[in-house]
Amino acid sequence: MKAFIVGVAICILLVMFLLFIQCYHELKIQQINLKYCTDECSSTAVLYYYDNYESNHLDGKKIFKEHEGLKGIKATINCYLNVNNDLNFVDNKIFKDKVHYKVYFFNGNGECNVYQDGIRERSFNFVFPYLYKDELLKYYKCISEPNVVVTIDIGKYYSNFFTTEYDIIMSSGYEYVN
Amino acid sequence: MKQFITLIAVFILLMSILIQIPLEMINHDNKIAIMYYVNNAKEKAKQEGYYTEGILKQLKKELSIKMKCDENSILIDDKTTTITKYRQNKYIKGENIYLKILVPFKNIIAADKFYKIDESNRYFVLENVTTSEKLGTKQ
């Protein structure tokens, strides 16, 4: 009987260990998916900019069509993360928080516009090269060309076994090199 | 003798859990590889304007080697963009390049035959969307 109890105890321990591995691997897969999503968001947003024939005041500088870029970012997030139009996860047990995204448009004319969830938050002037510090991930990046930086926060990861203490965040910048 | 029989009974249960742990690691590695190949194909499609036959063939070949499955068992959804999309001056929803791929994923449970679990028709589904960078020529 003693051997049987010990055996069952080992079985339960192994099952717990296995569940932990499964949850942890799922978290890593979601992080990689989010990384690809942010990459795609920034590369989509950088495609839309004013041409010379649309505006006579560009002087060869790259100015982004921010409202078009934001539309592209939202559509990309909807597809990759499978969220609804309000950026809430639908029928998802591992992510329950709302998705937030922050976009920095570093325009060629030295004006940077910051958008939080598609709404303009603030704008400031800068001079190339500019040392950008990400608000959520605290990393530094040198901005030497017109650039779009997208940071997406999908909230905490809830599993049956553990919940992350931190939010899952990824950031990506796409640079337009002249 | 009683102890020996108990040990055998527990050992069979233990083995099925023990061999599941390395299988989890292999499956995780395979999932990352699939995502990597699909992302590479997406980048190529971005340049070409759509998923050409060559891109899809190359993707299927890479996935079939990695997953050790037949190329025909990898399914591409009908909604996948196979018509050329061009770079636009503004965001147009219909001008996206879309891909949905279903990769057969067997061997999820190590002792499936022991537990009599049917593992056929299980797929790892991936979908992504991208914007075309292909420039159209003016008439």
Side-chain angles (χ1 to χ4, degrees):
Chain A
M1 189 66 190
K2 199 169 71 180
F4 180 74
I5 292 166
V6 173
V8 170
I10 294 168
C11 264
I12 292 167
L13 269 174
L14 276 174
V15 168
M16 285 169 80
F17 181 55
L18 188 64
L19 279 171
F20 177 81
I21 290 175
Q22 278 181 337
C23 293
Y24 185 71
H25 281 167
E26 185 58 32
L27 169 64
K28 289 287 146 197
I29 292 284
Q30 294 299 331
Q31 279 181 327
I32 293 165
N33 185 42
L34 183 62
K35 182 65 193 164
Y36 287 142
C37 177
T38 43
D39 279 348
E40 186 51 45
C41 283
S42 56
S43 66
T44 298
V46 88
L47 282 176
Y48 307 111
Y49 51 79
Y50 288 101
D51 285 332
N52 279 326
Y53 68 87
E54 284 180 316
S55 175
N56 296 321
H57 310 290
L58 293 176
D59 299 332
K61 288 168 184 165
K62 203 61 67 187
I63 313 289
F64 295 111
K65 284 183 177 174
E66 290 160 10
H67 52 287
E68 300 295 344
L70 289 167
K71 278 185 208 168
I73 287 170
K74 198 172 179 189
T76 309
I77 292 173
N78 282 346
C79 179
Y80 269 83
L81 301 178
N82 208 2
V83 290
N84 60 13
N85 282 334
D86 299 328
L87 298 174
N88 285 313
F89 286 98
V90 185
D91 293 334
N92 198 327
K93 286 177 184 170
I94 53 175
F95 292 110
K96 294 169 186 169
D97 301 340
K98 194 182 175 185
V99 176
H100 296 285
Y101 63 97
K102 196 159 208 161
V103 190
Y104 283 78
F105 286 97
F106 290 96
N107 290 308
N109 61 353
E111 188 189 11
C112 176
N113 294 314
V114 187
Y115 291 84
Q116 174 72 42
D117 298 338
I119 299 159
R120 189 166 163 158
E121 195 182 68
R122 64 194 164 90
S123 64
F124 60 89
N125 292 321
F126 67 98
V127 183
F128 290 112
Y130 173 75
L131 190 64
Y132 162 77
K133 187 186 178 188
D134 195 86
E135 283 176 30
L136 293 168
L137 290 173
K138 313 289 180 204
Y139 73 91
Y140 288 95
K141 177 180 164 64
C142 180
I143 307 288
S144 52
E145 298 281 351
N147 208 313
V148 177
V149 180
V150 182
T151 307
I152 305 176
D153 176 358
I154 56 170
K156 289 184 172 61
Y157 171 81
Y158 300 90
S159 71
N160 295 330
F161 216 71
F162 64 89
T163 304
T164 53
E165 290 177 1
Y166 50 86
D167 285 5
I168 313 299
I169 307 166
M170 283 286 170
S171 182
S172 176
Y174 204 94
E175 194 171 72
Y176 186 90
V177 182
N178 280 309
Chain B
M1 190 64 191
K2 198 172 70 181
Q3 291 247 333
F4 179 73
I5 294 163
T6 320
L7 180 75
I8 296 292
V10 172
F11 188 74
I12 294 166
L13 279 170
L14 272 179
M15 273 311 289
S16 65
I17 302 166
L18 270 174
I19 55 176
Q20 182 68 31
I21 293 166
L23 186 73
E24 277 297 320
M25 292 172 181
I26 294 164
N27 283 347
H28 175 66
D29 190 44
N30 285 344
K31 279 181 191 173
I32 291 173
I34 292 169
M35 289 168 91
Y36 179 77
Y37 288 133
V38 172
N39 195 59
N40 275 2
K42 183 207 74 182
E43 293 297 328
K44 284 180 204 164
K46 200 180 175 79
Q47 303 299 320
E48 295 287 338
Y50 69 109
Y51 284 93
T52 59
E53 273 189 33
I55 294 171
L56 291 176
K57 203 174 171 184
Q58 174 77 12
L59 176 63
K60 279 185 177 181
K61 193 182 168 188
E62 285 168 344
L63 290 175
S64 65
I65 292 166
K66 183 70 192 171
M67 297 304 293
K68 292 179 185 118
C69 65
D70 186 35
E71 279 185 34
N72 296 326
S73 61
I74 298 165
L75 305 175
I76 307 280
D77 196 85
D78 294 339
K79 288 179 191 168
T80 301
T81 309
T82 47
I83 308 159
T84 317
K85 305 282 181 186
Y86 293 101
R87 181 174 176 171
Q88 304 293 324
N89 206 15
K90 59 181 181 178
Y91 178 76
I92 302 167
K93 201 179 178 184
E95 292 298 310
N96 282 340
I97 303 167
Y98 177 80
L99 171 73
K100 187 174 183 180
I101 188 165
L102 295 93
V103 185
F105 214 93
K106 291 165 188 169
N107 297 333
I108 299 167
I109 295 161
D112 56 329
K113 282 171 189 160
F114 178 74
Y115 293 113
K116 292 183 180 168
I117 297 165
D118 183 22
E119 285 203 322
S120 57
N121 296 329
R122 291 189 189 273
Y123 291 93
F124 183 58
V125 185
L126 273 176
E127 60 178 331
N128 63 32
V129 68
T130 188
T131 326
S132 178
E133 283 186 8
K134 190 177 175 70
L135 293 171
T137 48
K138 279 185 180 178
Q139 297 290 322

